[in-house]
Amino acid sequence: MELSFPLSFSLPPSHQYHHRDAAVISPMLNKLVDGVLQNTIDDIPNGADPDDDSPYERTLCAVWDTCSVLDYCRVMAGAQLHRLLLKIITMTKRTRTRELAMGSLANMACHWEEGIGSMLLDDMDILRLCRSVLWHENDARVLLETSRLLNTFLSCSMDTSHHTIVEHDHLTEFLTPVPMAPSIFHQYTFIICNTLFMDLLLTSLELMTRIVVYTNAITHSLTRHSQRMKECDGEEAEAEADLFIDKSDTLVLVKWGADRLEEEGQGVGIGMGFNRGIAKNVMHLLWALMAYNMVSTTECGYEMTNCLGQSMSRIVSYIQEDEYDCRNEDEDIQNLAQALNTKLSMAN
């Protein structure tokens, strides 16, 4: 991927940027640019431990932190920092450098109301890079930061106050499978079913639930339905519902989710004992898959649906009996268990 990036840092000509903020940011960004131009981003000083952060990575750590501060992030966004970070990610061979650069992008995207997150989403190169990371990356922390960025993109496409989805062409293109490559949904199914890194698992579960909601909404929107009916016949239009998500992946997720909830119900889940975050997000994903007809209880089979029902009953009982350890997730877990049980009982 050939990428353009700023060759030097300069303060954008706008009254909204304070010169004091630029004075803090300028040295860091110039160090990043120099490393790219001189091809020294992976250099390790003589005698240094290669597992420790390099000087370049320590600069990226500072950028990561300052991207979390809105005033600094405004300056960085105006200086096109995201293009520089893309170049760094594609050049480096060090996973720690990729982690820090992706994390900086994820931190920038969090400033959505200021228009910074939407600016990143408008740059399709960022989503192309995310796709490449999901296909080729093996490091859990790089995958976590990539997922954090995608989670922000998807969550900000959902208007919760009006219960609507705002479709973005770049997001839809990103989620649409391409020939001779696994789909985004398939890649996250693989990550969820195999990772032992709890932060990555939780973020991936949240992201997958949002992918289900987003793809269902855009597939069934009136505008897209009208367009499909003009462009193709009824059978092809109906088949588009399965474009983003393969049925085999949904069945794998339901089986995995049933196994995880059974473990959580017995208090031997991922991590130490019962993990409310895992239980809540697994329930939410399974409910979304069933509520939006991505998978039916008939396809799951009686044994699996019965196992799900029993596991959720045990989890709810545990929560209700443990009066000394009440958490914020408890009400959500009980509501999700009730909603899932409703779906299962309707099928029975």
Side-chain angles (χ1 to χ4, degrees), residues 276-290:
R276 285 170 165 81
I278 298 292
K280 172 186 171 181
N281 283 285
V282 170
M283 286 183 186
H284 200 177
L285 177 56
L286 296 186
W287 174 83
L289 289 171
M290 294 181 184

Side-chain angles (χ1 to χ4, degrees), residues 307-325:
C307 175
L308 269 173
Q310 292 178 357
S311 299
M312 288 185 294
S313 296
R314 281 194 294 268
I315 290 172
V316 170
S317 296
Y318 174 82
I319 289 174
Q320 292 174 343
E321 292 170 3
D322 190 8
E323 57 185 25
Y324 298 106
D325 188 19

Side-chain angles (χ1 to χ4, degrees), residues 35 39-44 54 56-57 91-94 97:
N39 196 23
T40 57
I41 63 176
D42 288 343
D43 284 4
I44 305 295
S54 67
Y56 198 80
E57 287 164 348
M91 285 181 63
T92 186
K93 294 180 173 61
R94 287 175 60 86
T97 302

Side-chain angles (χ1 to χ4, degrees), residues 131 135 172-185 242-246:
R131 189 195 298 270
W135 285 348
T172 302
E173 180 181 342
F174 170 73
L175 293 172
T176 302
V178 297
M180 306 299 291
S183 68
I184 300 302
F185 193 88
D242 299 325
L243 173 63
F244 302 99
I245 298 174
D246 190 271

Side-chain angles (χ1 to χ4, degrees), residues 182-212:
S183 68
I184 300 302
F185 193 88
H186 176 81
Q187 288 301 91
Y188 270 105
T189 299
F190 181 82
I191 290 171
I192 286 172
C193 294
N194 289 279
T195 186
L196 296 176
F197 184 24
M198 192 179 303
D199 289 344
L200 176 58
L201 176 58
L202 286 169
T203 303
S204 299
L205 287 168
E206 291 178 5
L207 177 60
M208 282 287 266
T209 302
R210 291 190 169 109
I211 289 175
V212 170

Side-chain angles (χ1 to χ4, degrees), residues 71-214:
D71 289 340
Y72 294 148
C73 194
R74 283 198 192 103
V75 182
M76 292 179 163
Q80 299 289 293
L81 171 67
H82 64 287
R83 299 297 305 179
L84 179 57
L85 292 171
L86 286 177
K87 188 67 175 179
I88 292 168
I89 294 167
T90 57
M91 285 181 63
T92 186
K93 294 180 173 61
R94 287 175 60 86
T95 55
R96 175 63 171 163
T97 302
R98 288 198 296 277
E99 175 199 349
L100 292 168
M102 287 300 306
S104 298
L105 284 173
N107 287 351
M108 289 181 72
C110 291
H111 302 292
W112 195 267
E113 293 183 356
E114 294 294 320
I116 297 173
S118 56
M119 178 192 72
L120 300 186
L121 183 54
D122 286 337
D123 190 338
M124 190 61 199
D125 282 342
I126 291 180
L127 289 172
R128 291 190 184 102
L129 181 64
C130 290
R131 189 195 298 270
S132 177
V133 168
L134 292 175
W135 285 348
H136 304 295
E137 184 61 62
N138 291 318
D139 185 82
R141 295 189 181 278
V142 179
L143 290 170
L144 171 62
E145 297 309 320
T146 304
S147 303
R148 220 166 45 87
L149 174 61
L150 294 173
N151 221 350
T152 299
F153 285 161
L154 276 160
S155 64
C156 292
S157 71
M158 300 176 182
D159 185 348
T160 54
S161 59
H162 296 90
H163 301 287
T164 56
I165 300 296
V166 179
E167 181 176 5
H168 195 290
D169 289 343
H170 286 175
L171 263 183
T172 302
E173 180 181 342
F174 170 73
L175 293 172
T176 302
V178 297
M180 306 299 291
S183 68
I184 300 302
F185 193 88
H186 176 81
Q187 288 301 91
Y188 270 105
T189 299
F190 181 82
I191 290 171
I192 286 172
C193 294
N194 289 279
T195 186
L196 296 176
F197 184 24
M198 192 179 303
D199 289 344
L200 176 58
L201 176 58
L202 286 169
T203 303
S204 299
L205 287 168
E206 291 178 5
L207 177 60
M208 282 287 266
T209 302
R210 291 190 169 109
I211 289 175
V212 170
V213 174
Y214 180 88

